[in-house]
Coordinates of all heavy atoms in Angstrom, one line a residue:
M1 N 0.8 -1.2 0.0 CA 0.0 0.0 0.0 C 0.9 1.3 0.0 O 0.9 1.9 -1.0 CB -0.9 0.1 1.2 CG -2.1 -1.0 1.1 SD -3.6 -0.6 2.0 CE -4.3 0.7 1.2
I2 N 1.6 1.5 1.1 CA 2.4 2.7 1.2 C 3.6 2.3 2.2 O 3.3 1.7 3.2 CB 1.6 4.0 1.7 CG1 2.5 5.2 1.6 CG2 1.0 3.7 3.0 CD1 1.8 6.5 1.8
T3 N 4.7 2.9 1.9 CA 5.8 2.7 2.7 C 6.0 3.9 3.6 O 5.5 5.0 3.4 CB 7.2 2.4 2.1 OG1 7.5 3.6 1.4 CG2 7.0 1.2 1.0
S4 N 6.7 3.7 4.8 CA 7.0 4.8 5.7 C 7.8 5.9 4.9 O 7.6 7.1 5.2 CB 7.7 4.3 6.9 OG 8.9 3.7 6.6
Q5 N 8.7 5.4 4.0 CA 9.5 6.4 3.3 C 8.6 7.2 2.3 O 8.8 8.5 2.2 CB 10.6 5.7 2.5 CG 11.6 4.9 3.4 CD 11.2 3.5 3.7 OE1 10.1 3.1 3.5 NE2 12.3 2.8 4.2
Q6 N 7.7 6.6 1.6 CA 6.8 7.3 0.8 C 6.0 8.3 1.6 O 5.7 9.4 1.1 CB 5.8 6.3 0.1 CG 6.4 5.7 -1.0 CD 5.3 4.6 -1.6 OE1 4.9 3.8 -0.9 NE2 5.1 4.7 -2.9
L7 N 5.5 7.9 2.8 CA 4.7 8.7 3.6 C 5.5 10.0 4.0 O 4.9 11.1 3.9 CB 4.3 8.0 4.8 CG 3.4 8.7 5.8 CD1 2.1 9.3 5.2 CD2 3.0 7.8 6.9
R8 N 6.7 9.8 4.5 CA 7.6 11.0 4.9 C 7.8 11.9 3.7 O 7.8 13.1 3.8 CB 8.8 10.5 5.6 CG 8.6 10.0 6.9 CD 9.9 9.7 7.7 NE 10.8 8.7 6.9 CZ 10.8 7.5 7.1 NH1 10.0 6.9 7.9 NH2 11.6 6.7 6.4
A9 N 8.2 11.3 2.5 CA 8.5 12.0 1.3 C 7.2 12.8 0.8 O 7.4 14.0 0.4 CB 9.0 11.1 0.2
A10 N 6.1 12.1 0.8 CA 4.9 12.8 0.4 C 4.6 14.0 1.3 O 4.2 15.1 0.8 CB 3.8 11.9 0.4
R11 N 4.7 13.8 2.6 CA 4.4 14.9 3.5 C 5.4 16.1 3.3 O 5.1 17.3 3.2 CB 4.6 14.4 4.9 CG 4.1 15.4 5.9 CD 4.0 14.7 7.4 NE 5.3 14.0 7.8 CZ 6.3 14.7 8.2 NH1 6.4 16.0 8.2 NH2 7.4 14.0 8.6
A12 N 6.7 15.8 3.0 CA 7.7 16.8 2.7 C 7.5 17.5 1.4 O 7.5 18.7 1.4 CB 9.1 16.2 2.6
L13 N 6.9 16.8 0.4 CA 6.5 17.5 -0.9 C 5.5 18.5 -0.7 O 5.4 19.5 -1.3 CB 6.3 16.4 -1.9 CG 7.4 15.7 -2.5 CD1 6.9 14.5 -3.4 CD2 8.3 16.6 -3.4
L14 N 4.6 18.2 0.2 CA 3.4 19.0 0.4 C 3.8 20.1 1.4 O 2.9 21.0 1.6 CB 2.3 18.3 1.0 CG 1.6 17.3 0.0 CD1 0.6 16.4 0.7 CD2 0.9 18.0 -1.1
G15 N 4.9 20.0 2.1 CA 5.3 21.0 3.1 C 4.5 20.9 4.4 O 4.2 21.9 5.0
L16 N 4.0 19.7 4.7 CA 3.2 19.5 5.9 C 4.0 19.0 7.0 O 5.0 18.2 6.7 CB 2.1 18.5 5.6 CG 1.0 19.0 4.5 CD1 0.1 17.7 4.3 CD2 0.3 20.1 4.9
D17 N 3.7 19.3 8.2 CA 4.3 18.6 9.3 C 3.4 17.4 9.8 O 2.3 17.3 9.2 CB 4.6 19.5 10.6 CG 3.4 20.2 11.1 OD1 2.2 19.6 11.0 OD2 3.5 21.3 11.8
Q18 N 3.8 16.6 10.7 CA 3.0 15.4 11.0 C 1.6 15.8 11.6 O 0.6 15.2 11.3 CB 3.7 14.6 12.0 CG 4.9 13.9 11.5 CD 5.8 13.1 12.5 OE1 5.7 13.5 13.7 NE2 6.4 12.0 12.2
R19 N 1.6 16.9 12.4 CA 0.3 17.3 12.9 C -0.7 17.8 11.7 O -1.9 17.3 11.8 CB 0.5 18.5 13.9 CG -0.8 18.9 14.6 CD -0.6 20.0 15.6 NE 0.5 19.7 16.6 CZ 0.4 18.8 17.7 NH1 -0.7 18.3 17.8 NH2 1.5 18.6 18.4
Q20 N -0.1 18.4 10.8 CA -1.1 18.9 9.7 C -1.6 17.7 8.8 O -2.7 17.7 8.5 CB -0.2 19.8 8.8 CG 0.0 21.3 9.4 CD 1.0 22.0 8.7 OE1 2.0 21.5 8.2 NE2 0.7 23.3 8.5
L21 N -0.7 16.7 8.7 CA -1.1 15.5 8.0 C -2.2 14.8 8.7 O -3.2 14.4 8.2 CB 0.0 14.6 7.6 CG -0.3 13.3 6.9 CD1 -1.1 13.6 5.6 CD2 0.8 12.4 6.7
A22 N -2.1 14.7 10.1 CA -3.0 14.0 11.0 C -4.4 14.8 10.7 O -5.4 14.0 10.7 CB -2.5 14.0 12.4
E23 N -4.4 16.0 10.9 CA -5.6 16.8 10.7 C -6.2 16.6 9.4 O -7.5 16.4 9.2 CB -5.4 18.3 11.0 CG -5.1 18.6 12.4 CD -4.7 20.1 12.6 OE1 -4.7 20.9 11.6 OE2 -4.1 20.4 13.7
L24 N -5.4 16.6 8.3 CA -5.9 16.4 6.9 C -6.5 15.1 6.7 O -7.5 14.9 6.1 CB -4.7 16.6 6.0 CG -5.0 16.7 4.5 CD1 -5.9 17.9 4.2 CD2 -3.7 16.8 3.7
A25 N -6.0 14.1 7.4 CA -6.5 12.7 7.3 C -7.6 12.3 8.4 O -8.1 11.3 8.2 CB -5.3 11.7 7.4
G26 N -7.7 13.2 9.3 CA -8.7 13.0 10.3 C -8.2 11.8 11.3 O -9.0 11.1 11.7
L27 N -7.0 11.9 11.6 CA -6.3 10.9 12.4 C -5.6 11.6 13.6 O -5.4 12.8 13.5 CB -5.3 10.0 11.7 CG -6.0 9.2 10.6 CD1 -4.8 8.6 9.7 CD2 -6.9 8.1 11.1
S28 N -5.1 10.9 14.5 CA -4.3 11.5 15.7 C -2.8 11.6 15.4 O -2.4 10.9 14.4 CB -4.4 10.6 16.9 OG -3.8 9.4 16.8
L29 N -2.2 12.5 15.9 CA -0.8 12.8 15.6 C 0.0 11.4 16.0 O 0.8 11.0 15.2 CB -0.2 13.9 16.5 CG 1.2 14.2 16.5 CD1 1.7 14.5 15.0 CD2 1.6 15.4 17.4
P30 N -0.3 10.8 17.1 CA 0.5 9.5 17.5 C 0.4 8.5 16.4 O 1.3 7.7 16.1 CB 0.0 9.0 18.8 CG -0.6 10.3 19.5 CD -1.1 11.2 18.3
T31 N -0.8 8.5 15.7 CA -1.0 7.4 14.6 C -0.1 7.8 13.4 O 0.6 6.9 12.9 CB -2.5 7.5 14.1 OG1 -3.3 7.1 15.2 CG2 -2.6 6.5 13.0
I32 N 0.1 9.0 13.1 CA 1.0 9.4 12.0 C 2.4 9.2 12.4 O 3.2 8.7 11.5 CB 0.8 10.9 11.6 CG1 -0.7 11.2 11.1 CG2 1.8 11.3 10.5 CD1 -1.0 10.4 9.7
Q33 N 2.8 9.4 13.6 CA 4.1 9.2 14.1 C 4.4 7.7 14.0 O 5.5 7.4 13.7 CB 4.3 9.8 15.5 CG 4.2 11.3 15.6 CD 4.1 11.9 16.9 OE1 3.6 11.2 17.9 NE2 4.7 13.0 17.1
R34 N 3.5 6.9 14.5 CA 3.8 5.5 14.5 C 3.9 4.9 13.0 O 4.8 4.1 12.7 CB 2.6 4.7 15.1 CG 2.7 4.5 16.6 CD 1.8 3.5 17.1 NE 0.4 3.8 16.8 CZ -0.4 4.6 17.4 NH1 0.0 5.2 18.5 NH2 -1.6 4.8 17.0
M35 N 3.1 5.5 12.1 CA 3.1 5.0 10.6 C 4.5 5.4 10.1 O 5.1 4.6 9.4 CB 2.0 5.7 9.9 CG 0.7 5.2 10.3 SD -0.7 6.1 9.5 CE -0.8 5.1 8.0
E36 N 4.9 6.6 10.4 CA 6.3 7.1 9.8 C 7.5 6.4 10.4 O 8.5 6.3 9.8 CB 6.4 8.7 10.0 CG 5.5 9.3 8.9 CD 5.8 10.8 8.9 OE1 6.8 11.2 9.5 OE2 5.1 11.5 8.2
A37 N 7.3 6.0 11.7 CA 8.4 5.3 12.4 C 8.5 3.8 12.0 O 9.6 3.2 12.3 CB 8.2 5.4 13.9
S38 N 7.6 3.3 11.3 CA 7.7 1.9 10.9 C 8.7 1.6 9.9 O 9.1 2.6 9.2 CB 6.2 1.3 10.5 OG 5.9 2.0 9.2
E39 N 9.1 0.4 9.8 CA 10.1 0.0 8.8 C 9.4 -0.5 7.5 O 8.5 -1.4 7.7 CB 11.1 -1.0 9.3 CG 12.0 -0.7 10.4 CD 13.1 0.3 9.8 OE1 13.6 0.1 8.6 OE2 13.5 1.2 10.5
G40 N 9.8 0.0 6.4 CA 9.1 -0.5 5.1 C 7.8 -0.3 5.0 O 7.3 0.9 5.3
Q41 N 6.9 -1.2 4.5 CA 5.5 -1.2 4.4 C 4.8 -0.8 5.7 O 5.0 -1.4 6.7 CB 5.0 -2.5 3.8 CG 3.6 -2.4 3.4 CD 3.6 -2.4 1.8 OE1 4.5 -2.9 1.2 NE2 2.5 -2.0 1.2
V42 N 3.9 0.3 5.6 CA 3.2 0.6 6.8 C 2.1 -0.3 7.1 O 1.4 -0.7 6.2 CB 2.6 2.1 6.5 CG1 1.7 2.5 7.7 CG2 3.7 3.1 6.4
R43 N 2.1 -0.8 8.2 CA 1.1 -1.7 8.7 C 0.1 -1.0 9.6 O 0.5 -0.1 10.4 CB 1.7 -2.9 9.5 CG 2.7 -3.7 8.6 CD 3.0 -5.0 9.3 NE 4.1 -5.8 8.9 CZ 4.5 -6.0 7.7 NH1 4.0 -5.5 6.7 NH2 5.6 -6.8 7.4
G44 N -1.2 -1.4 9.5 CA -2.1 -0.8 10.3 C -3.6 -1.2 9.9 O -3.7 -2.0 8.9
I45 N -4.5 -0.6 10.5 CA -5.9 -0.8 10.2 C -6.1 -0.3 8.7 O -5.7 0.9 8.5 CB -6.9 -0.1 11.2 CG1 -6.6 -0.7 12.6 CG2 -8.3 -0.3 10.7 CD1 -7.2 0.0 13.7
V46 N -6.7 -1.0 8.0 CA -6.9 -0.6 6.5 C -7.6 0.7 6.4 O -7.3 1.6 5.6 CB -7.7 -1.7 5.7 CG1 -8.1 -1.3 4.3 CG2 -6.9 -3.0 5.7
D47 N -8.7 1.0 7.2 CA -9.4 2.2 7.2 C -8.3 3.4 7.5 O -8.6 4.5 6.8 CB -10.5 2.3 8.2 CG -11.3 3.5 8.2 OD1 -11.9 3.8 7.0 OD2 -11.6 4.1 9.3
T48 N -7.4 3.2 8.4 CA -6.5 4.2 8.7 C -5.6 4.5 7.5 O -5.3 5.7 7.2 CB -5.7 3.9 9.9 OG1 -6.5 3.7 11.0 CG2 -4.7 4.9 10.3
L49 N -5.1 3.5 7.0 CA -4.2 3.6 5.7 C -4.9 4.3 4.6 O -4.4 5.2 4.0 CB -3.7 2.3 5.3 CG -2.8 1.6 6.2 CD1 -2.6 0.1 5.7 CD2 -1.5 2.2 6.4
V50 N -6.2 4.0 4.3 CA -7.0 4.5 3.3 C -7.2 6.1 3.6 O -7.1 6.8 2.7 CB -8.4 3.8 3.1 CG1 -9.3 4.6 2.3 CG2 -8.1 2.5 2.6
K51 N -7.4 6.4 4.8 CA -7.6 7.8 5.2 C -6.3 8.6 4.9 O -6.4 9.7 4.3 CB -7.9 8.1 6.7 CG -9.3 7.6 7.0 CD -9.5 7.8 8.5 CE -11.0 7.6 8.9 NZ -11.3 7.7 10.3
V52 N -5.1 8.1 5.2 CA -3.9 8.8 4.9 C -3.7 8.8 3.3 O -3.3 10.0 2.8 CB -2.7 8.1 5.5 CG1 -1.4 8.7 5.1 CG2 -2.8 8.2 7.0
I53 N -3.9 7.8 2.7 CA -3.7 7.8 1.2 C -4.6 8.7 0.5 O -4.2 9.5 -0.4 CB -3.7 6.4 0.7 CG1 -2.6 5.5 1.2 CG2 -3.8 6.4 -0.9 CD1 -2.7 4.0 0.9
T54 N -5.9 8.7 0.9 CA -6.9 9.6 0.4 C -6.5 11.1 0.7 O -6.7 11.9 -0.3 CB -8.3 9.3 1.0 OG1 -8.6 7.9 0.7 CG2 -9.4 10.2 0.4
A55 N -6.0 11.4 1.8 CA -5.7 12.7 2.2 C -4.4 13.2 1.3 O -4.4 14.3 0.8 CB -5.4 13.0 3.6
L56 N -3.5 12.3 1.1 CA -2.3 12.7 0.3 C -2.7 12.8 -1.2 O -2.2 13.8 -1.8 CB -1.2 11.6 0.5 CG -0.6 11.5 1.9 CD1 0.3 10.2 1.9 CD2 0.2 12.8 2.2
E57 N -3.4 12.0 -1.7 CA -3.9 12.0 -3.1 C -4.8 13.2 -3.3 O -4.7 13.9 -4.4 CB -4.6 10.7 -3.5 CG -3.6 9.6 -3.6 CD -4.3 8.2 -4.0 OE1 -5.5 8.1 -3.9 OE2 -3.5 7.3 -4.4
G58 N -5.6 13.5 -2.4 CA -6.5 14.8 -2.5 C -5.6 16.0 -2.4 O -6.1 17.1 -3.1
A59 N -4.5 16.0 -1.8 CA -3.6 17.1 -1.8 C -2.6 17.2 -3.0 O -1.8 18.1 -3.1 CB -2.8 17.1 -0.5
G60 N -2.7 16.2 -3.9 CA -2.0 16.2 -5.2 C -0.8 15.3 -5.2 O 0.0 15.3 -6.1
I61 N -0.7 14.4 -4.3 CA 0.4 13.4 -4.3 C 0.0 12.2 -5.1 O -1.1 11.7 -5.0 CB 0.7 12.9 -2.8 CG1 1.4 14.1 -2.1 CG2 1.7 11.6 -2.9 CD1 2.7 14.5 -2.6
E62 N 0.9 11.7 -6.0 CA 0.7 10.5 -6.8 C 1.6 9.4 -6.1 O 2.8 9.6 -6.2 CB 1.1 10.6 -8.2 CG 1.0 9.4 -9.0 CD 1.4 9.6 -10.5 OE1 1.9 10.7 -10.8 OE2 1.3 8.6 -11.2
L63 N 1.1 8.4 -5.5 CA 1.9 7.3 -4.9 C 2.1 6.3 -6.0 O 1.3 5.8 -6.7 CB 1.1 6.7 -3.7 CG 0.9 7.6 -2.6 CD1 -0.1 7.0 -1.6 CD2 2.2 8.0 -1.9
L64 N 3.5 6.0 -6.1 CA 3.9 5.0 -7.2 C 4.3 3.7 -6.5 O 5.1 3.7 -5.6 CB 5.0 5.6 -8.0 CG 4.8 7.0 -8.6 CD1 6.0 7.5 -9.2 CD2 3.8 6.8 -9.7
G65 N 3.9 2.6 -7.0 CA 4.3 1.3 -6.7 C 5.6 1.0 -7.3 O 6.0 1.7 -8.2
E66 N 6.2 -0.2 -6.9 CA 7.4 -0.6 -7.5 C 7.3 -0.8 -8.9 O 6.3 -1.5 -9.4 CB 7.8 -2.0 -6.8 CG 9.1 -2.5 -7.2 CD 10.3 -1.7 -6.5 OE1 10.0 -1.1 -5.5 OE2 11.4 -1.8 -7.0
N67 N 8.1 -0.2 -9.7 CA 8.1 -0.2 -11.2 C 6.9 0.2 -11.9 O 6.7 0.0 -13.0 CB 8.4 -1.7 -11.7 CG 9.8 -2.1 -11.2 OD1 10.7 -1.5 -11.3 ND2 9.9 -3.4 -10.6
A68 N 6.1 1.0 -11.2 CA 4.8 1.5 -11.8 C 5.1 2.7 -12.6 O 5.9 3.6 -12.2 CB 3.8 1.9 -10.7
P69 N 4.5 2.9 -13.8 CA 4.7 4.1 -14.5 C 3.9 5.3 -13.8 O 3.0 5.1 -13.2 CB 4.1 3.9 -15.9 CG 3.1 2.8 -15.6 CD 3.7 2.0 -14.5
S70 N 4.4 6.5 -14.1 CA 3.7 7.7 -13.6 C 2.7 8.3 -14.6 O 3.1 8.4 -15.8 CB 4.7 8.8 -13.1 OG 4.1 9.9 -12.8
T71 N 1.5 8.5 -14.2 CA 0.6 9.1 -15.0 C 0.4 10.6 -14.8 O -0.4 11.3 -15.4 CB -0.8 8.4 -14.8 OG1 -1.2 8.5 -13.4 CG2 -0.7 7.0 -15.3
G72 N 1.1 11.1 -13.8 CA 1.0 12.5 -13.4 C 1.8 13.4 -14.3 O 2.7 13.0 -15.2
V73 N 1.7 14.7 -14.1 CA 2.6 15.6 -14.8 C 3.2 16.5 -13.7 O 3.0 16.4 -12.5 CB 1.7 16.6 -15.6 CG1 1.0 15.8 -16.7 CG2 0.6 17.3 -14.8
G74 N 4.3 17.1 -14.1 CA 5.0 18.0 -13.3 C 6.1 17.2 -12.6 O 6.5 16.1 -13.1
R75 N 6.7 17.9 -11.7 CA 7.9 17.3 -11.0 C 7.6 16.3 -10.0 O 6.5 16.3 -9.4 CB 8.8 18.4 -10.4 CG 9.3 19.4 -11.4 CD 10.2 20.5 -10.9 NE 10.6 21.2 -11.9 CZ 11.0 22.5 -11.8 NH1 10.9 23.1 -10.8 NH2 11.4 23.1 -12.9
G76 N 8.6 15.4 -9.6 CA 8.3 14.4 -8.6 C 9.7 13.8 -8.2 O 10.7 14.2 -8.7
V77 N 9.6 12.9 -7.3 CA 10.8 12.2 -6.7 C 10.5 10.8 -6.7 O 9.4 10.3 -6.3 CB 11.2 12.7 -5.3 CG1 12.4 11.9 -4.8 CG2 11.4 14.2 -5.3
R78 N 11.5 10.0 -7.2 CA 11.3 8.5 -7.1 C 12.6 7.9 -7.0 O 13.7 8.4 -7.5 CB 10.7 8.1 -8.5 CG 11.0 6.8 -9.0 CD 10.2 6.4 -10.3 NE 9.4 5.3 -9.9 CZ 8.3 4.9 -10.6 NH1 8.0 5.6 -11.6 NH2 7.8 3.7 -10.3
L79 N 12.8 6.8 -6.2 CA 14.0 6.0 -6.2 C 14.3 5.3 -7.5 O 13.3 4.8 -8.1 CB 13.9 5.0 -5.0 CG 14.0 5.5 -3.6 CD1 13.7 4.4 -2.7 CD2 15.3 6.1 -3.4
R80 N 15.5 5.1 -7.8 CA 15.9 4.5 -9.0 C 17.1 3.7 -8.7 O 17.8 3.9 -7.7 CB 16.1 5.4 -10.2 CG 17.3 6.3 -9.9 CD 17.7 7.0 -11.2 NE 18.8 8.0 -10.9 CZ 20.0 7.6 -10.7 NH1 20.4 6.4 -10.7 NH2 20.9 8.5 -10.5
E81 N 17.5 2.7 -9.7 CA 18.7 2.1 -9.6 C 19.8 3.0 -10.0 O 19.7 3.6 -11.0 CB 18.6 0.8 -10.5 CG 19.9 -0.1 -10.2 CD 19.6 -1.4 -10.9 OE1 18.7 -2.1 -10.5 OE2 20.5 -1.8 -11.8
T82 N 20.8 3.1 -9.3 CA 22.0 3.9 -9.5 C 22.9 3.2 -10.6 O 22.6 2.0 -10.9 CB 22.9 4.3 -8.3 OG1 23.4 3.0 -7.8 CG2 22.1 4.9 -7.2
A83 N 23.8 3.9 -11.2 CA 24.7 3.4 -12.2 C 25.4 2.1 -11.7 O 25.8 1.3 -12.5 CB 25.7 4.5 -12.7
S84 N 25.7 2.1 -10.4 CA 26.4 0.9 -9.9 C 25.5 -0.2 -9.6 O 25.9 -1.2 -9.1 CB 27.2 1.4 -8.7 OG 26.4 1.7 -7.7
G85 N 24.1 -0.1 -9.8 CA 23.2 -1.1 -9.5 C 22.6 -1.1 -8.2 O 21.9 -2.0 -7.9
V86 N 22.9 -0.1 -7.4 CA 22.5 -0.1 -6.0 C 21.1 0.6 -6.0 O 20.9 1.5 -6.6 CB 23.5 0.8 -5.1 CG1 22.9 0.9 -3.7 CG2 24.8 0.1 -5.0
R87 N 20.2 -0.1 -5.3 CA 18.8 0.4 -5.2 C 18.5 1.0 -3.8 O 18.5 0.3 -2.9 CB 17.8 -0.6 -5.5 CG 17.7 -1.1 -6.9 CD 16.5 -1.8 -7.2 NE 15.4 -1.1 -6.6 CZ 14.3 -0.7 -7.2 NH1 14.1 -0.9 -8.4 NH2 13.3 -0.1 -6.5
G88 N 18.2 2.3 -3.8 CA 17.6 2.9 -2.6 C 18.6 3.0 -1.4 O 18.1 3.1 -0.3
A89 N 19.9 2.8 -1.6 CA 20.8 2.9 -0.5 C 21.0 4.3 -0.1 O 21.1 5.1 -1.0 CB 22.1 2.2 -0.8
R90 N 21.2 4.6 1.1 CA 21.4 5.9 1.5 C 22.8 6.4 0.9 O 23.8 5.7 1.0 CB 21.4 6.1 3.0 CG 20.0 6.0 3.5 CD 20.0 6.3 5.0 NE 18.6 6.1 5.4 CZ 18.2 6.4 6.7 NH1 19.0 6.7 7.6 NH2 17.0 6.2 7.0
G91 N 22.8 7.6 0.4 CA 24.0 8.2 -0.1 C 24.3 7.8 -1.5 O 25.3 8.1 -2.1
S92 N 23.5 6.9 -2.1 CA 23.7 6.4 -3.4 C 23.0 7.4 -4.4 O 21.8 7.6 -4.2 CB 23.2 5.0 -3.6 OG 23.9 4.1 -2.8
S93 N 23.7 7.8 -5.4 CA 23.1 8.6 -6.5 C 24.1 8.5 -7.6 O 25.2 8.0 -7.5 CB 22.9 10.0 -6.1 OG 24.1 10.6 -5.8
L94 N 23.6 9.0 -8.8 CA 24.6 9.1 -9.9 C 25.7 9.8 -9.5 O 26.8 9.5 -9.9 CB 23.8 9.7 -11.2 CG 24.5 9.7 -12.5 CD1 24.8 8.3 -12.9 CD2 23.6 10.3 -13.5
L95 N 25.6 10.9 -8.9 CA 26.8 11.8 -8.5 C 27.6 11.0 -7.6 O 28.8 10.9 -7.8 CB 26.3 13.1 -7.8 CG 27.4 14.0 -7.3 CD1 28.3 14.4 -8.5 CD2 26.8 15.2 -6.6
Y96 N 27.1 10.4 -6.7 CA 27.8 9.5 -5.7 C 28.6 8.4 -6.4 O 29.8 8.2 -6.2 CB 26.8 8.8 -4.6 CG 27.6 7.9 -3.7 CD1 28.3 8.5 -2.6 CD2 27.6 6.6 -3.8 CE1 28.9 7.6 -1.6 CE2 28.2 5.7 -2.9 CZ 28.8 6.2 -1.8 OH 29.5 5.4 -1.0
D97 N 28.0 7.7 -7.4 CA 28.6 6.7 -8.1 C 29.8 7.2 -8.9 O 30.9 6.6 -9.0 CB 27.6 6.0 -9.1 CG 26.5 5.2 -8.5 OD1 26.7 4.9 -7.3 OD2 25.6 4.9 -9.1
K98 N 29.7 8.4 -9.4 CA 30.8 9.0 -10.2 C 32.0 9.3 -9.3 O 33.2 9.0 -9.6 CB 30.4 10.2 -11.0 CG 29.5 9.9 -12.2 CD 29.1 11.2 -12.9 CE 28.2 10.7 -14.1 NZ 27.9 11.9 -15.0
V99 N 31.6 9.9 -8.2 CA 32.7 10.2 -7.2 C 33.4 8.9 -6.7 O 34.6 8.8 -6.7 CB 32.2 11.0 -5.9 CG1 33.2 11.1 -4.9 CG2 31.7 12.4 -6.4
A100 N 32.7 7.9 -6.4 CA 33.2 6.6 -5.9 C 34.0 5.9 -7.0 O 35.0 5.3 -6.7 CB 32.0 5.7 -5.5
E101 N 33.6 6.1 -8.2 CA 34.3 5.5 -9.4 C 35.7 6.2 -9.5 O 36.7 5.5 -9.7 CB 33.5 5.8 -10.7 CG 34.1 5.1 -11.9 CD 33.2 5.3 -13.1 OE1 32.1 4.8 -13.1 OE2 33.6 6.0 -14.0
R102 N 35.8 7.5 -9.4 CA 37.0 8.3 -9.5 C 37.9 7.9 -8.3 O 39.1 7.7 -8.5 CB 36.7 9.8 -9.4 CG 36.2 10.4 -10.6 CD 36.1 11.8 -10.5 NE 35.2 12.4 -11.5 CZ 34.3 13.3 -11.3 NH1 34.1 13.7 -10.1 NH2 33.4 13.5 -12.2
E103 N 37.4 7.7 -7.1 CA 38.3 7.3 -6.0 C 38.8 5.9 -6.2 O 39.9 5.6 -5.8 CB 37.5 7.4 -4.7 CG 37.2 8.7 -4.3 CD 36.3 8.9 -3.1 OE1 36.0 7.8 -2.5 OE2 36.0 10.0 -2.7
T104 N 38.2 5.0 -6.8 CA 38.6 3.6 -7.0 C 39.7 3.6 -8.2 O 40.5 2.7 -8.2 CB 37.6 2.6 -7.3 OG1 36.6 3.1 -8.3 CG2 36.8 2.2 -6.1
E105 N 39.6 4.6 -9.0 CA 40.6 4.6 -10.2 C 41.9 5.2 -9.7 O 42.9 4.9 -10.3 CB 40.0 5.6 -11.2 CG 38.9 5.0 -12.0 CD 38.3 6.1 -13.0 OE1 38.8 7.2 -13.0 OE2 37.4 5.6 -13.7
R106 N 41.9 5.8 -8.5 CA 43.2 6.3 -8.0 C 44.1 5.4 -7.6 O 44.1 4.4 -7.0 CB 42.9 7.4 -6.9 CG 42.3 8.6 -7.4 CD 42.0 9.6 -6.3 NE 41.2 10.7 -6.8 CZ 40.7 11.6 -6.1 NH1 40.9 11.6 -4.8 NH2 40.0 12.6 -6.7

């Protein structure tokens, strides 16, 4: 459904803090905090997850599943495989790969 990373990223794109998202979704602040603190896929009551997803989508967020094409327009952020083949590792990016490649050449 949605990962904690997607939830935090979506909130950041909207410029919302956790309290504002809770209000937008009609949930409590501790519920949003628990959802964002979870590892990977957010687990919880389906109704709660639907409320958060509906609130995010209503605010203009397009949630993308693994390898799903985007139907939206405008700018966005998505994890991709880096040139070195690393997926979603912290600190990994095309720029990071180029810097690491130069250091190994030395």
